[in-house]
Amino acid sequence: LADRNGLVRHLEAVETLVSYGLRVIFEDQALAFRMGAETKRGVQWMEPRLVQGDIDAPILDSFGGGPASVVAFLLRVLACRRLGLAPVILLDESFAMVSENYVPNVAKLLRELADTMGYTILLVTHQPAFLAYATRAYEAAESGDGTVFRSVERRDGVVG
């Protein structure tokens, strides 16, 4: 019973943290995350779900790629933290499915992770809204010698 109580506390902590991230990003949608549990043929199955009002469904069934990509990212952050891995996150177009309207909120959350939890985040993206929250930014361009990276100036005049 003690192990089960510990597992329940861990799951509740995960649900709370992922729900927090969803609220920060999708502030107008009142989304919450929960882990559904079901026993099938004596085996315990866990299923990530999103809740919004009366809807409680598997993420991709009712909510699409944007919230799913945010949940996947947040679960990776929590797993890295729990496993004691280096605080480095590499993201390659991880938020491409997030609507343009929410990209500034994603950028704010990434900045918060970097500032409060000490994460170094390398983000590859085509979405310029991330630039305003970057410490450094580079643009890749093809040249005769291969790919060249140039520092990009942010809107506030800081050069990456």
Side-chain angles (χ1 to χ4, degrees):
L1 186 60
D3 287 342
R4 178 160 169 57
N5 289 338
L7 176 63
V8 168
R9 279 194 312 277
H10 285 294
L11 285 176
E12 287 172 351
V14 168
E15 290 173 348
T16 299
L17 290 169
V18 174
S19 292
Y20 167 76
L22 287 166
R23 279 191 310 276
V24 166
I25 294 169
F26 303 104
E27 59 194 355
D28 60 340
Q29 294 189 36
L31 293 174
F33 173 80
R34 80 174 189 87
M35 288 299 294
E38 185 178 346
T39 302
K40 296 179 184 177
R41 297 185 199 105
V43 176
Q44 185 77 29
W45 294 86
M46 302 299 289
E47 178 181 52
R49 302 175 69 83
L50 285 183
V51 179
Q52 182 182 43
D54 292 339
I55 301 170
D56 181 343
I59 295 170
L60 289 175
D61 287 357
S62 299
F63 296 95
S69 61
V70 169
V71 168
F73 165 72
L74 293 168
L75 290 174
R76 280 195 315 259
V77 169
L78 291 172
C80 288
R81 192 111 170 127
R82 177 77 172 130
L83 295 172
L85 300 176
V88 177
I89 300 171
L90 306 174
L91 302 168
D92 185 1
E93 294 292 351
S94 296
F95 302 106
M97 299 299 293
V98 174
S99 169
E100 249 182 68
N101 300 339
Y102 299 110
V103 169
N105 294 349
V106 173
K108 287 177 199 172
L109 183 65
L110 293 177
R111 179 85 259 156
E112 182 180 334
L113 284 172
D115 292 345
T116 62
M117 298 176 74
Y119 276 95
T120 298
I121 301 170
L122 175 62
L123 172 69
V124 176
T125 186
H126 288 91
Q127 297 169 308
F130 284 106
L131 186 60
Y133 297 89
T135 303
R136 286 184 211 94
Y138 300 92
E139 177 180 61
E142 294 297 322
S143 76
D145 297 328
T147 304
V148 179
F149 293 92
R150 294 186 295 246
S151 292
V152 175
E153 187 172 320
R154 295 189 334 209
R155 290 185 195 129
D156 60 5
V158 174
V159 175

